[in-house]
Amino acid sequence: MKEYTAIKELPYYEELDFYKKQKRIVLQNCGLIDPEKIDDYIEKKGYQAAAKAITQMKSKEIIEEVKKSGLRGRGGGGFPTGLKWQFAKDAEGEKKYIVCNADEGDPGAFMDRSLLEGDPHKLLEGMMIAAYAIDADEGYIYVRAEYPLAIRRLKKAISQAEELGLLGENIFGTEFNFKIHIKEGAGAFVCGEETALMASIEGKRGTPTSRPPYPAQSGLWGKPTNINNVETYANIPFIIDNGAEEFNKFGTENSSGTKVFALTGKIKNTGLVEVPMGLSLRDIIYDIGGGITDDKGFKAVQTGGPSGGCIPAEQLDLKIDYDSLKEIGAMMGSGGMVVMDEDTCMVDVARFFLTFTQSESCGKCTPCRLGTKRMLEILERITEGEGKKGDIEKLEQLGKVIKEASLCGLGQTAPNPVLTTIKYFRDEYEAHINDKKCPAGQCDALKGSYVIDEDHCIGCGQCKTVCPADAITGKKQKAHTIDPEACISCGACAEVCPVNAISN
Amino acid sequence: MDKIELSKVDTILDDHRGKKDSLITVLQKSQNELGYLSKDTQKYIADEMKIPYSKLYGVVTFYSQFHQKPRGKYIVRVCEGTACHVRGGDKVLEALKDELGVDRGETTKDLLFTLEPVACLGACGLAPVVMINDESYGRMTPESIVEVINEYRNKN
C-alpha cells in the first residue's frame, strides 16, 4: 500500500479559521457526499434515526425526545418544535399532513437551498420521523420555483427512497405508510408564512388567514397539519440518533443546538456557517468571517432579512440566540446575516428592505398594505433630500401600529429594519432631514458634485473620457477640474481614476 | 384559442383531472408550453377544471411568475438614468420605439422583443446603455442601436 505523509504547511479542514468555531450538525454532509446517491447518505448513518424511531420508539417517546432537545423552529419564529408536534398529535382526525416550508425568500439567505441541494435525504428522513410521530401518512415540500436544482435533487431523492421502500407502504416492515409530494411556488414571498403557504399548496391565492385555528388543528384542507422549516426537520435525525442530551450540549439554555447563517455583505469570508447558539456576533464576523473587506470600519449587521433588524457595533458581543436578538429589536429570522461597513447608508438600507416587503405585501390586511406604503413614501422622501421635521416620529408611530395590527408575520415584522435603524442610527436620519446630508455618501440626491484633488491628479484624462456630462476639463499631464454645475454625481470618474484622486 | 394550443393544454389537464391541489401546477405547465396565459387559455382551464374564472384570474394575478401578455424572446432594457439622459438616452429610446413599432412595456408582434425602460443600470460610464437579456451595450446612438437590433433579428 502506498504511504501518504501529511504536508505540514497545509492545515486540516477543522484547523482553518473559517471552520474552527463551527459545529456542523445540519450541514454535516453538505459538500462531502454526492447528494444524488442515496448510498452515500446511508453510508453516513443515513436513515438509521428513522429506522430507530419507526421500529423501536412510540410516537410519544419521539415527541418527548424532541421536546427535551429544546429544538425551536429554525424558520425564524422559534416556536418549540416538540410542542408543535404534540399539538398535531393530539388533534383529532383520521387524516393528517406533514408540510415542509422550503419557500426561502429572504434576500441574502440560502441556507435551505444548500441543504436541499447538498443533502436532500436528511430532510426526507426528518419528515418521515415527524410523520410517524404525529400519525401522518402524507407530506408536502413547498419549494420556490427559483430553486430548480433543489427541486430536481429532491425529486431524485424521493424516487430513490421509494425504490428502497423507505417511502411508501409498510416502511421498515411496520404498519407505517408515508409518501411525499413536491409543490413548486409561483413567486410570492408571503407564501413563506405558514397559512399562506398551505393556501398556495391548495392551489389558491397565497394569502394568510388569521390564527387560531392553528395548522395543528385545521391546516391543509382543514386537516391537522404539522409545518416546519427545512433546517428544523434536518435537525431531527441527529436528535433521535444521539439523544436530546447530546443535542443540548450545544447552544444556550433556551436556544439549544446550532444555527446555520448565510454570511454575506462587506465581509472577507462569505458563505454558510453553522455555529452553536450563543456564539457572539464578534466571533462570527471576525473569527469566522475574517473581518470587514478592505479592513474598513464595521457599522452594523443585519439579521433576519426583511423581518429582522440592524445591530450596531455596541452589540457585537451579544450572544446570539432567539431571545437575545428579539430583545434588541432584531430577529433570528431564517438566518441571513448581512454585514455592513462604514460606507453603508442605514436610511437607504431601511428603504431597501421596506421596498421589498411593501411590494410583497399580499394586500389582505390594511395595516400592512397601506402602512408599509406610507412608511416607504416617507423613507423615499428622506433619501431624496426632502425629509421633514417629524418624519422620524411618524415612522416610529406607523411602525408600531403595523407591528401590532398586521395579520401575519410579514406585516408584524416589516417595520423592524426601519425601527432598529432609527433606534441605533438616529443621527443618520437626522443628518438626512436636517442637514440634507448622507453621512455615508450613498444617497444620490444628497451627494455633492465630485471634486478632483489637484495634488494627486496625474492628468491621465481617463475621467474626462468616461464623464457622461462632459463636465471635466484639463490638459494632458495637468491637473483636471470638474465643473460642479455640469456634474451629475454619477461617480463614473471616481471609479476609473487610477490614483483615487476624485471624491465627493 | 387555436387547436394546437388547445391540445397542449388538454394533455396537461389530463394528468391533473380530479386533483384538487393542481391549479397552480396546471397554470405553470400551460405557461411553459404556451409562453403566457391568454384570457382564452385561462377561461378554458377554468371551465375544464370546474372552477370560477374569477378565482383562477385571482390566482394568476397574485403570483409574479404568471404573465397574461406574451413576452419577447429578448427583453430590451433601456436606461433612463441621469447619465444616460444627458448623453441622449431618450433619443435611443425613441429610435427603439420607432424601429420595433412598440411603446414602453410592449412586445413586438413577432414576439422577439419586449421594450422595458429602467431607472438606472448602474453603468453610467458607458452611457447611454441598453441591455438585451444579459448582454450590455454601451455608448449607443439612435443609429447603432438599430444595428444591434438587426443582429438579433438575423439570429432568428
Side-chain angles (χ1 to χ4, degrees), chain A residues 254-306:
Chain A
N254 291 317
S255 303
S256 56
T258 60
K259 176 78 191 89
V260 185
F261 290 103
L263 200 54
T264 55
K266 308 269 180 74
I267 190 157
K268 282 181 187 156
N269 306 329
T270 57
L272 284 189
V273 300
E274 182 174 353
V275 294
M277 298 266 193
L279 210 63
S280 75
L281 280 167
R282 192 184 296 280
D283 286 330
I284 297 178
I285 293 165
Y286 286 94
D287 293 347
I288 297 174
I292 312 299
T293 331
D294 299 331
D295 293 314
K296 288 208 169 166
F298 168 89
K299 188 183 246 179
V301 57
Q302 210 280 348
T303 64

Side-chain angles (χ1 to χ4, degrees), chain A residues 140 142 145 183-188 190-191 200-207 221 362 465-470 488 490 492, chain B residues 20-25 28 55 57-66 81-84 86-87 122-127 139:
Chain A
Y140 282 90
Y142 188 89
K183 274 280 163 191
E184 282 179 39
V190 70
C191 288
S200 183
I201 291 182
E202 293 174 13
K204 300 180 198 152
R205 285 166 73 96
T207 49
W221 291 294
C362 79
T465 324
V466 296
C467 177
D470 294 326
I488 55 163
C490 73
Chain B
K20 47 188 171 175
D21 60 343
S22 51
L23 176 59
I24 292 175
T25 317
Q28 282 170 333
K55 221 166 199 174
Y57 182 76
V59 170
V60 169
T61 49
F62 185 81
Y63 295 99
S64 59
Q65 207 186 59
F66 297 124
T82 327
C84 291
V86 299
R87 280 248 173 181
C124 304
L126 296 174
R139 299 190 196 288

Side-chain angles (χ1 to χ4, degrees), chain A residues 83-94:
Chain A
L83 203 57
K84 211 173 192 180
W85 289 16
Q86 181 75 60
F87 292 149
K89 165 79 182 163
D90 292 346
E92 275 177 39
E94 278 285 296

